[in-house]
Amino acid sequence: MNQDDDGADGATTAGNHRIGVIISDEPRINDEIRVSQVRLIGPNGEQVGVIATSVALNLAKEANLDLVEVAPNAKPPVAKLIDYGKFKYNEKIKQREARRNQSTAEIKEIRFRLKIDEHDFEVKKGHVERFLNGGDKVKVTIMLRGREQSRPIGGVELLQRLADEVAESGTIESAPKQEGRNIIMTLAPKGKKVHTQSEQRRRGAESRAERQARQAARLAAKQEAKAQEAKEAQAVVAEATETSATK
């Protein structure tokens, strides 16, 4: 590579890598910390103060902990004594739980006609409530015909009525507005889908625990029956041996 093709610092950047340099999001730990002094925080959050990095490393070794740089841009950098392996493990667990509990709300759509009869309105309202209670947003669309487009107020009133009647399950996220031949409103659930998912997981865990308990009880019963059979067999053998000896 010619020097003219190099950057000002003699390296080219490609994503998070430069030639000869790997940029990492991981903090520096132990011997990776090359500064002469650090502001040390103890394992329980106590402020130790500014000390030589070599002394901090010795303290970490004596406590069977790691010296982790938590604020590298401070003057001097701030380091903390922690069990880094345990810390990383707990972080992975937290991230896994966060992904598991993440809400994956969908947007459902319900369509109305402006001149909808009461029965159909109640049916549609039931669908809206079901979607909201399941943690999904609902896009409600009123389709206007002919002259209805010039007098959309009736559609706005109908959507507002719907929002009022499902208020326990959801709130208006996007107020009714006319878009071409349609009037559109978006409702958002009050409760989070994660709550529903968590309840389902809790019930699933309880069901699994019950099945495991029943299996363990059946296994224990079988083992006890086998032990009883073995005991009875031993008694028969012992009796036969005693009878033979008597004869």
Side-chain angles (χ1 to χ4, degrees):
M1 182 181 291
N2 297 328
Q3 288 185 344
D4 293 341
D5 295 331
D6 293 344
D9 58 356
T12 59
T13 301
N16 287 334
H17 297 272
R18 292 190 307 172
I19 295 177
V21 178
I22 298 177
I23 301 175
S24 174
D25 293 331
E26 297 291 327
R28 286 187 286 266
I29 68 172
N30 299 327
D31 294 334
E32 296 174 358
I33 303 174
R34 301 300 177 86
V35 295
S36 60
Q37 290 184 323
V38 294
R39 184 177 299 277
L40 184 64
I41 301 175
N44 297 317
E46 63 273 22
Q47 297 287 337
V48 178
V50 177
I51 63 174
T53 303
S54 58
V55 175
L57 285 170
N58 287 334
L59 291 174
K61 290 177 181 177
E62 290 174 2
N64 198 26
L65 296 172
D66 298 294
L67 183 67
V68 181
E69 192 177 53
V70 295
N73 296 325
K75 301 294 183 180
V78 179
K80 187 174 182 179
L81 296 176
I82 62 174
D83 184 336
Y84 191 62
K86 184 177 180 181
F87 169 77
K88 289 292 291 180
Y89 174 78
N90 290 336
E91 284 297 304
K92 287 182 180 179
I93 295 297
K94 290 178 182 178
Q95 291 170 6
R96 189 180 307 155
E97 286 297 319
R99 288 193 298 270
R100 186 180 300 167
N101 293 332
Q102 185 178 11
S103 175
T104 55
E106 300 178 5
I107 297 181
K108 308 290 187 179
E109 184 170 13
I110 295 290
R111 293 176 177 268
F112 285 74
R113 288 292 183 186
L114 183 59
K115 295 180 180 180
I116 186 172
D117 62 44
E118 190 65 22
H119 173 73
D120 286 344
F121 177 84
E122 290 297 323
V123 172
K124 300 271 189 179
K125 184 180 75 173
H127 293 325
V128 172
E129 288 177 324
R130 179 165 54 85
F131 291 145
L132 291 172
N133 291 334
D136 296 314
K137 294 182 180 181
V138 183
K139 177 182 177 183
V140 187
T141 302
I142 292 185
M143 300 171 289
L144 303 176
R145 294 177 177 176
R147 295 181 181 179
E148 294 175 351
Q149 297 177 50
S150 62
R151 304 181 65 182
I153 187 64
V156 174
E157 292 175 348
L158 183 61
L159 289 177
Q160 188 60 56
R161 175 193 168 189
L162 174 67
D164 292 340
E165 294 191 13
V166 300
E168 291 186 2
S169 301
T171 57
I172 296 177
E173 181 179 78
S174 177
K177 61 180 179 180
Q178 186 170 2
E179 294 184 2
R181 296 182 178 182
N182 300 326
I183 302 177
I184 296 172
M185 174 182 70
T186 303
L187 298 170
K190 280 188 174 179
K192 294 183 179 179
K193 194 168 189 175
V194 63
H195 295 161
T196 302
Q197 293 172 336
S198 296
E199 180 63 18
Q200 291 173 345
R201 284 195 300 273
R202 184 187 67 78
R203 292 177 180 174
E206 289 179 352
S207 179
R208 286 193 299 273
E210 290 177 0
R211 288 198 302 271
Q212 291 171 355
R214 288 196 297 268
Q215 290 172 353
R218 286 196 295 267
L219 180 60
K222 287 181 180 179
Q223 290 175 341
E224 185 177 352
K226 287 182 178 180
Q228 184 63 31
E229 289 176 0
K231 185 176 180 180
E232 291 175 355
Q234 288 175 353
V236 170
V237 171
E239 184 178 353
T241 302
E242 183 178 352
T243 301
S244 177
T246 302
K247 289 180 179 180

